[in-house]
Amino acid sequence: MKKIMLLFLGLLLGLVAWKLWDTTVLLNKQVVSKFEGARWELPARIYARPLDLYVGRPLQVDHLEQELKLLGYRVAADGQLDRAGTYRINGNRVIIHCRSFTFSDGKQEAMLIDLVFAENQIVALEDHNNAQSLPFFKLEPLHIASIYPGDNEDRLLLHIKETPELLIKTLLLVEDKSFYHHWGVRPLAILRALMANLKAGKTVQGGSTLTQQLVKNFFLTNKRSLQRKAKEAIMALLLEYHYSKDDILEAYLNEIYMGQDGKRAIHGFAMAARFYFGRKIDELSAQQIALLVGLSKGASYYNPRKHPQRAKARRDRILHDMADEGLLTAATAEYLQKKPLGVLERVPSGITRYPAFIGLVRQQLKRDYKDTELSSKGLTVFTTFDPVVQEAAETALSSVLSSLEKERKMSPETLQGAVVVSSVDQGEVLAVVGDRFSRQAGFNRALAMQRPLGSVIKPVVYLAALAHPEQYNLLTLLEDTPLTVPIPGTRPWAPKNYDKKFHGRIPLMQALVHSYNVATVRLGLALGLDQTLDTLQHLGISKEIPAYPSLLLGAIELPPIDVLQMYQAIAAGGYKSTLRAILAVTNQQNQLLQRYPLTVEQAMPTEAVFCLNRALREVTRSGTAASLQRRLPHGMSVAGKTGTTDDLRDSWFAGFSGSHVAVAWVGRDDNHSTGLTGASGALRVWAKTMAALTMTPLDDQPPENVDLYRAILEAGTLVDNSCPRGELLPFIRGGVLPPLSFCDAPPPQQRQGQQRRHRATSGFEKALQEGLNQLLRIFQ
């Protein structure tokens, strides 16, 4: 009987041992596969453009300070710049202790730089420590959005070598003093905790090592049971067997739960530093480190925003322990205990402040990346976003719409709007505003709204004409007289001017400057509608547009972003750069995955565009946009065009300086009349946006094949250089020229009997008739 009992006991122990071994094998596979694979789904992080600093760059001191504040830089206390993320301004001199940052082309170390400004321009850039000149420096970009994984966990990966020594020592002091000496579990500590808890009748002490805490958070659930506790101990031992202490500690630093922001869970010390203090981990002070270490015991219970007294008591206790351990002096600890918690009052939301721009970024990213790659692979996306330009556009749209509503006694929030801004030469989208409430994610009017263009399209018609210098120039005489266009199957179309008048024979430039509809339609029909449609396509409009005569007056619907593309090509002298919002994408290891290079193609002849832009510049001086003269800084030359649609439903303005091109739209979502023209609505938004920027004026230098002649604009003729009335206008070399007249020549409508007519005008009526006949053939 005794032998049977021993045999049974042996079998039972063998079964338990086999089961334990089998469980250990399974747990070992789980530990190795998860810990050696992609440990976390990491969100994609989207950044603005870096601010390039170099001698000669146009930049205002207040714009630089605005960007520094957005980046979380602080004015140096007592002028001391010993910590990265601080700056000091003294008149026209700025000293910045710049943070380190890993760009798409490599890492730039933290550095003290010294800048000197004069007349809104950088005139000196030096290394502050040795006074050596720097040819170039990049200020780190602003983080503007993240694309989160399905579990909504947000973390910034922190490597053990980048972790402040004081943080590591404080964490181990509080959570696991013998971390570097045990094998993952401490049996005596577990027994002590068990006895204390039994004696108290509740949980008052924990016996888990830091390794066990990692196992619980990373591999297991929070469900309490003996089976789970056994698994935790086995997995802790396995983790210690396979991996180094530094690997385990690094994983803990990144895995630990540190707080909640709505649906977004904050994990890891690096993200917690941003979440609570708006700082990088290496910028934390001792009392801030103590607070974060205290949160690791229970982020909800010690939440400093909800339970500040509880959090402060915990922080102060840790500061006391740090002094006892010799990490701080007793005097320093006592001094720091008197300080407030210092957490950001406003929670840094995981929701982007710039939803309209991020909408454009995501559109472009989807061409190359799947949604799962964007939300889990830890990609870094560098964009063209300019926070200073964005802030200017947002402020302009919001304030101008409010002013318009008050001036016209509209109900608040009646009007809506959109603004888009890009660089001229490179087509980099700098700002996108799709709603007057710019933080509000929803319908993005800048990208998704299709609205009639009105007269914003007219430069396309005139550019199509000027591209034929053998027939047209800026002084070609056009007829602004009654016109009836037959449309088979419906009533004839009789276009009218906005002022309800006809203006007789007028120079082409004047027709554009004053936005005369009838003259524009006559010109477009004489050219043929296909010429305007081809020019639209060359300027970047890929949408299929039906060939109706009304398109000449903007009866086509496009979103503001497409209008921006069109005007970018015009602003850049006929060279179209496909609008881009992304510069580069890197992976989790900071390796470059893809660059989004500048693409440039000549869309239209440079000479014709230069002549057109001279007319668009006159629009802002004496034409429909003349009010810009009092809304922009003195001497700032710009060019552009107003646009107004039927019943004053849409108000547009599109225009450019030498450096920036922008489009503004104002209207109503219910499509009712706004009572606003392009000049009284959108122009004001555009002007307020551009006036806030550091811009360069338009370039007056003509292309090689363009000559300047003195002309009398109202008369439509050239005059001798000695004429005091004339002004210089560009004409394409080898093209048709206007007639030469005396300085006091009468305007064209008073010269009915003159024999010397414009050489290009003689065939104009014939071309118009041919255009009408072609139109009839299209509709038949």
Side-chain angles (χ1 to χ4, degrees):
M1 185 68 180
K2 186 180 290 186
K3 289 182 179 181
I4 295 174
M5 289 293 291
L6 289 172
L7 180 61
F8 177 75
L9 183 59
L11 288 172
L12 183 62
L13 290 173
L15 183 63
V16 170
W18 174 82
K19 182 65 177 176
L20 181 61
W21 174 254
D22 188 54
T23 300
T24 302
V25 170
L26 291 175
L27 292 177
N28 185 64
K29 287 182 179 179
Q30 186 179 345
V31 166
V32 172
S33 63
K34 188 169 182 180
F35 211 73
E36 290 189 356
R39 295 178 186 174
W40 301 280
E41 289 189 333
L42 298 173
R45 304 209 173 274
I46 303 175
Y47 288 89
R49 56 92 186 99
L51 181 60
D52 296 334
L53 303 173
Y54 52 88
V55 172
R57 181 199 169 106
L59 183 65
Q60 298 177 33
V61 173
D62 57 342
H63 285 175
L64 174 59
E65 185 172 27
Q66 180 183 352
E67 184 135 355
L68 289 171
K69 288 180 177 178
L70 286 170
L71 287 166
Y73 278 66
R74 293 165 173 79
V75 176
D78 302 322
Q80 297 300 312
L81 291 158
D82 55 346
R83 188 183 297 274
T86 56
Y87 69 96
R88 184 173 74 228
I89 297 178
N90 184 13
N92 67 339
R93 185 185 180 196
V94 182
I95 305 174
I96 311 171
H97 195 158
C98 301
R99 299 177 177 127
S100 63
F101 190 84
T102 303
F103 296 93
S104 61
D105 56 356
K107 185 174 182 179
Q108 179 178 269
E109 298 296 341
M111 188 177 186
L112 265 169
I113 64 169
D114 200 331
L115 300 103
V116 179
F117 290 79
E119 298 181 352
N120 294 330
Q121 183 173 291
I122 300 174
V123 295
L125 173 62
E126 296 178 347
D127 182 331
H128 182 72
N129 291 324
N130 57 26
Q132 288 189 352
S133 295
L134 297 173
F136 185 81
F137 192 86
K138 287 192 290 189
L139 191 64
E140 84 264 22
L142 176 68
H143 174 239
I144 57 175
S146 295
I147 302 175
Y148 295 107
D151 57 13
N152 281 317
E153 289 187 0
D154 196 6
R155 58 171 53 82
L156 286 169
L157 279 191
L158 177 63
H159 297 291
I160 192 74
K161 293 179 180 179
E162 299 170 348
T163 307
E165 185 179 0
L166 183 61
L167 171 58
I168 293 175
K169 288 182 176 180
T170 304
L171 176 65
L172 297 182
L173 169 67
V174 174
E175 292 296 328
D176 193 348
K177 282 186 178 181
S178 59
F179 172 72
Y180 279 98
H181 305 289
H182 60 63
W183 293 350
V185 293
R186 291 179 301 178
L188 291 178
I190 294 173
L191 287 173
R192 279 198 304 269
L194 180 63
M195 296 299 294
N197 294 339
L198 288 173
K199 186 176 180 180
K202 59 180 180 179
T203 302
V204 294
Q205 186 176 329
S208 295
T209 63
L210 188 145
T211 310
Q212 286 176 276
Q213 293 178 45
L214 175 62
V215 167
K216 180 183 69 175
N217 295 326
F218 193 68
F219 297 102
L220 304 173
T221 67
N222 287 326
K223 181 181 178 182
R224 294 189 176 187
S225 67
L226 287 174
Q227 184 181 16
R228 200 222 67 180
K229 198 69 179 175
K231 281 185 177 181
E232 179 186 297
I234 294 171
M235 295 177 86
L237 290 167
L238 291 168
L239 203 58
E240 293 271 356
Y241 173 76
H242 287 292
Y243 304 102
S244 71
K245 288 288 187 180
D246 282 354
D247 282 343
I248 294 168
L249 180 57
E250 182 176 285
Y252 180 91
L253 290 166
N254 287 292
E255 174 61 27
I256 186 70
Y257 173 73
M258 299 292 282
Q260 195 73 27
D261 173 30
K263 293 182 179 179
R264 181 175 67 132
I266 308 301
H267 284 261
F269 280 88
M271 179 53 68
R274 298 288 182 96
F275 183 67
Y276 291 108
F277 302 112
R279 294 190 176 189
K280 294 178 70 174
I281 193 77
D282 57 359
E283 296 173 18
L284 295 179
S285 60
Q287 74 269 21
Q288 291 169 335
I289 286 174
L291 178 64
L292 293 188
V293 170
L295 288 175
S296 64
K297 186 175 180 66
S300 298
Y301 186 79
Y302 293 107
N303 185 329
R305 293 190 176 101
K306 290 185 177 180
H307 310 294
Q309 292 180 336
R310 192 182 293 168
K312 187 175 185 303
R314 173 76 174 158
R315 182 203 69 175
D316 292 350
R317 177 63 196 172
I318 292 174
L319 286 170
H320 179 271
D321 292 345
M322 292 168 72
D324 285 349
E325 191 69 17
L327 300 179
L328 299 173
T329 66
T332 300
E334 185 178 351
Y335 170 75
L336 294 178
Q337 286 171 339
K338 295 176 183 178
K339 283 184 169 289
L341 292 176
V343 298
L344 297 173
E345 293 182 12
R346 186 172 162 186
V347 179
S349 174
I351 301 172
T352 179
R353 298 177 64 207
Y354 312 108
F357 184 86
I358 297 305
L360 179 61
V361 171
R362 295 194 71 150
Q363 274 186 12
Q364 297 187 1
L365 281 174
K366 283 184 177 180
R367 301 171 192 166
D368 303 303
Y369 299 95
K370 298 176 182 177
D371 286 344
T372 52
E373 291 177 306
L374 293 174
S375 62
S376 64
K377 299 300 183 182
L379 303 182
T380 299
V381 182
F382 297 94
T383 75
T384 59
F385 181 80
D386 188 318
V388 173
V389 178
Q390 179 75 22
E391 294 283 335
E394 291 175 358
T395 300
L397 183 62
S398 176
S399 62
V400 170
L401 293 190
S402 295
S403 296
L404 288 170
E405 288 165 347
K406 289 178 182 177
E407 292 167 11
R408 295 170 182 268
K409 296 180 171 54
M410 298 178 184
S411 300
E413 302 180 19
T414 297
L415 298 174
Q416 262 295 355
V419 184
V420 282
V421 187
S422 79
S423 62
V424 168
D425 292 333
Q426 299 192 332
E428 294 180 350
V429 181
L430 308 176
V432 180
V433 187
D435 193 298
R436 68 182 294 175
F437 304 107
S438 55
R439 304 288 178 262
Q440 184 172 287
F443 183 57
N444 190 341
R445 292 163 190 80
L447 308 183
M449 175 189 70
Q450 303 275 337
R451 297 297 302 177
L453 299 189
S455 296
V456 163
I457 201 176
K458 285 179 181 174
V460 179
V461 181
Y462 288 84
L463 179 56
L466 293 168
H468 296 280
E470 73 283 357
Q471 292 180 272
Y472 298 99
N473 60 51
L474 289 177
L475 296 186
T476 298
L477 295 177
L478 304 180
E479 297 287 342
D480 190 63
T481 55
L483 174 67
T484 300
V485 182
I487 308 291
T490 186
R491 291 184 302 171
W493 180 49
K496 299 287 191 296
N497 289 320
Y498 180 76
D499 62 4
K500 310 300 182 187
K501 299 176 182 178
F502 296 99
H503 306 88
R505 183 177 296 167
I506 54 171
L508 178 148
M509 180 170 167
Q510 287 290 75
L512 177 57
V513 167
H514 297 292
S515 200
Y516 293 147
N517 292 338
V518 182
T520 302
V521 172
R522 284 181 176 274
L523 176 62
L525 291 177
L527 288 167
L529 296 180
D530 59 321
Q531 292 283 313
T532 297
L533 291 172
D534 286 348
T535 303
L536 275 171
Q537 189 174 27
H538 290 322
L539 294 175
I541 304 304
S542 58
K543 178 180 178 179
E544 190 170 335
I545 299 170
Y548 289 106
S550 57
L551 81 86
L552 300 169
L553 299 183
I556 62 171
E557 296 183 347
L558 292 174
I561 192 71
D562 284 3
V563 181
L564 182 69
Q565 177 69 84
M566 190 166 70
Y567 272 78
Q568 180 278 324
I570 293 172
Y575 289 92
K576 184 190 75 173
S577 299
T578 302
L579 294 180
R580 56 182 177 144
I582 306 171
L583 297 172
V585 178
T586 59
N587 64 13
Q588 184 181 329
Q589 290 74 38
N590 299 315
Q591 297 168 330
L592 181 66
L593 295 181
Q594 191 166 358
R595 286 198 186 279
Y596 291 77
L598 170 68
T599 60
V600 181
E601 61 177 294
Q602 186 165 4
M604 294 298 293
T606 304
E607 299 82 3
V609 176
F610 184 84
C611 294
L612 172 72
N613 288 349
R614 175 62 181 83
L616 292 178
R617 186 170 177 175
E618 192 63 34
V619 170
T620 70
R621 288 173 167 178
S622 63
T624 56
S627 62
L628 281 175
Q629 294 301 306
R630 67 175 187 272
R631 298 184 185 278
L632 292 177
H634 178 70
M636 178 54 64
S637 58
V638 296
K641 186 69 187 76
T642 54
T644 311
T645 61
D646 290 347
D647 300 321
L648 305 181
R649 289 190 176 96
D650 300 274
S651 170
W652 290 89
F653 190 81
F656 47 91
S657 66
S659 53
H660 296 78
V661 54
V663 175
W665 171 87
V666 173
R668 292 177 57 155
D669 286 344
D670 59 12
N671 201 32
H672 288 176
S673 174
T674 63
L676 299 168
T677 64
S680 61
L683 178 145
R684 290 174 59 176
V685 176
W686 188 94
K688 193 172 182 68
T689 299
M690 298 290 267
L693 307 181
T694 305
M695 299 189 296
T696 56
L698 294 172
D699 184 6
D700 290 328
Q701 186 64 35
E704 183 179 351
N705 291 327
V706 171
D707 297 316
L708 300 178
Y709 291 92
R710 189 167 295 279
I712 305 289
L713 184 57
E714 309 82 45
T717 61
L718 301 182
V719 293
D720 186 81
N721 284 338
S722 62
C723 180
R725 290 178 52 205
E727 59 181 301
L728 292 176
L729 292 181
F731 295 88
I732 299 175
R733 192 175 301 161
V736 65
L737 289 175
L740 184 67
S741 72
F742 294 105
C743 194
D744 58 353
Q749 56 264 40
Q750 297 177 18
R751 295 188 282 116
Q752 301 296 329
Q754 269 187 278
Q755 293 183 353
R756 292 191 69 183
R757 296 181 60 193
H758 194 306
R759 282 188 274 164
T761 308
S762 58
F764 183 77
E765 293 300 328
K766 182 178 178 181
L768 175 60
Q769 188 58 52
E770 176 56 34
L772 289 171
N773 292 337
Q774 182 185 15
L775 187 63
L776 287 171
R777 288 194 293 271
I778 290 174
F779 284 104
Q780 284 176 348

